Amino acid sequence: MGVQKRTRKFAQVKRLISQRDSRLKKNQDKGEVEAKKKHTELVREIPQVSSSLFFQYNTALVPPYSILIDTNFLSHTVQRKLELLPTMMDCLYAKCTPIITDCAMAELERLGQRYRIALRIARDERWERLRCDHKGVYADDCIVDRVMKHKIYIVATNDRDLKRRIRKIPGVPIMSVARGKYVIERLPDAPEK
């Protein structure tokens, strides 16, 4: 007969309960007190809705459309070999003015040599440039902040997270590159007269 092993088996070591475990009596009491506080608080502030929104129809959004461009929208445009302005006009059937923020330009410059063609397109004099007065160069936060303040923009992006954030803002359409062309979502139909 062989010698019996006396090593502990994996996951059979005695476990300790942490101090923050919800099964402890003192932590259950804290949870009940916090739940009561949440139910007793009244909503004092209602978010202000833009005056340009009329039954979710954005009346401030009229041609010529101002389109805020994100960095990955430019890179997808270069990958699909699309021209920026003519393809936008084909999508919207109206005059467009592409707008690039300082944050988007800084992000493109930081991305380096791989995005040099997108950077060259972004530096074109035909496009409008928006000056940023905030700290940091994160383009997504900058775009969301601008769209929250002024609902006169269409946001051009292929970034999933940015799209998700913008969909929560009522009255802001999103343009993206898909299937070799530009597609737009949530652009309202013209009001019937």
Side-chain angles (χ1 to χ4, degrees), residues 114-139:
R114 259 182 90 186
Y115 295 89
R116 66 183 179 280
I117 299 170
L119 183 61
R120 190 181 304 150
I121 291 170
R123 284 187 176 149
D124 197 338
E125 308 88 43
R126 294 178 289 176
W127 322 142
E128 196 175 312
R129 289 286 300 271
L130 273 181
R131 299 276 170 238
C132 296
D133 54 353
H134 55 82
K135 291 183 178 177
V137 288
Y138 189 55

Side-chain angles (χ1 to χ4, degrees), residues 91-165:
C91 178
L92 293 171
Y93 301 117
K95 194 172 190 303
C96 308
T97 53
I99 299 172
I100 300 171
T101 62
D102 285 344
C103 295
M105 286 295 284
E107 201 171 279
L108 270 173
E109 288 166 357
R110 254 187 304 145
L111 287 171
Q113 201 61 16
R114 259 182 90 186
Y115 295 89
R116 66 183 179 280
I117 299 170
L119 183 61
R120 190 181 304 150
I121 291 170
R123 284 187 176 149
D124 197 338
E125 308 88 43
R126 294 178 289 176
W127 322 142
E128 196 175 312
R129 289 286 300 271
L130 273 181
R131 299 276 170 238
C132 296
D133 54 353
H134 55 82
K135 291 183 178 177
V137 288
Y138 189 55
D140 293 0
D141 291 339
C142 177
I143 289 171
V144 169
D145 186 46
R146 281 205 191 270
V147 168
M148 291 279 280
K149 288 179 184 171
H150 313 287
K151 295 199 179 2
I152 58 169
Y153 299 113
I154 296 172
V155 178
T157 184
N158 269 39
D159 187 6
R160 281 195 188 132
D161 296 330
L162 183 58
K163 280 184 182 180
R164 196 172 298 129
R165 287 171 68 183

Side-chain angles (χ1 to χ4, degrees), residues 46-47 51-52 117 123:
I46 298 171
S51 61
S52 66
I117 299 170
R123 284 187 176 149

Side-chain angles (χ1 to χ4, degrees), residues 161-177:
D161 296 330
L162 183 58
K163 280 184 182 180
R164 196 172 298 129
R165 287 171 68 183
I166 289 174
R167 283 187 190 118
K168 293 176 185 173
I169 307 168
V172 179
I174 301 169
M175 181 184 280
S176 57
V177 181

Side-chain angles (χ1 to χ4, degrees), residues 7-187:
T7 58
R8 293 179 179 175
K9 301 263 187 194
F10 179 72
Q12 289 183 343
V13 181
K14 193 184 284 186
R15 294 189 185 102
L16 296 176
I17 296 177
S18 71
Q19 292 294 322
R20 291 187 224 146
D21 199 323
S22 61
R23 295 175 285 179
L24 292 174
K25 179 78 173 149
K26 64 178 182 179
N27 293 336
Q28 288 176 350
D29 295 339
K30 285 181 184 176
E32 291 171 5
V33 170
E34 288 176 11
K36 286 180 184 177
K37 281 184 182 177
K38 286 182 182 177
H39 290 296
T40 58
E41 290 179 11
L42 294 174
V43 177
R44 300 260 184 230
E45 185 180 323
I46 298 171
Q48 192 68 31
V49 179
S50 174
S51 61
S52 66
L53 290 177
F54 179 71
F55 296 127
Q56 300 295 327
Y57 175 75
N58 191 352
T59 56
L61 204 61
V62 291
Y65 294 114
S66 302
I67 302 172
L68 274 177
I69 297 176
D70 190 30
T71 54
N72 55 15
F73 182 82
L74 277 172
S75 67
H76 280 272
T77 299
V78 170
Q79 285 174 0
R80 305 293 189 287
K81 296 184 172 110
L82 298 171
E83 281 193 56
L84 191 68
L85 193 59
T87 317
M88 277 183 186
M89 292 171 86
D90 289 344
C91 178
L92 293 171
Y93 301 117
K95 194 172 190 303
C96 308
T97 53
I99 299 172
I100 300 171
T101 62
D102 285 344
C103 295
M105 286 295 284
E107 201 171 279
L108 270 173
E109 288 166 357
R110 254 187 304 145
L111 287 171
Q113 201 61 16
R114 259 182 90 186
Y115 295 89
R116 66 183 179 280
I117 299 170
L119 183 61
R120 190 181 304 150
I121 291 170
R123 284 187 176 149
D124 197 338
E125 308 88 43
R126 294 178 289 176
W127 322 142
E128 196 175 312
R129 289 286 300 271
L130 273 181
R131 299 276 170 238
C132 296
D133 54 353
H134 55 82
K135 291 183 178 177
V137 288
Y138 189 55
D140 293 0
D141 291 339
C142 177
I143 289 171
V144 169
D145 186 46
R146 281 205 191 270
V147 168
M148 291 279 280
K149 288 179 184 171
H150 313 287
K151 295 199 179 2
I152 58 169
Y153 299 113
I154 296 172
V155 178
T157 184
N158 269 39
D159 187 6
R160 281 195 188 132
D161 296 330
L162 183 58
K163 280 184 182 180
R164 196 172 298 129
R165 287 171 68 183
I166 289 174
R167 283 187 190 118
K168 293 176 185 173
I169 307 168
V172 179
I174 301 169
M175 181 184 280
S176 57
V177 181
R179 296 180 295 279
K181 61 182 181 180
Y182 293 165
V183 291
I184 192 148
E185 61 182 70
R186 291 181 20 179
L187 186 68

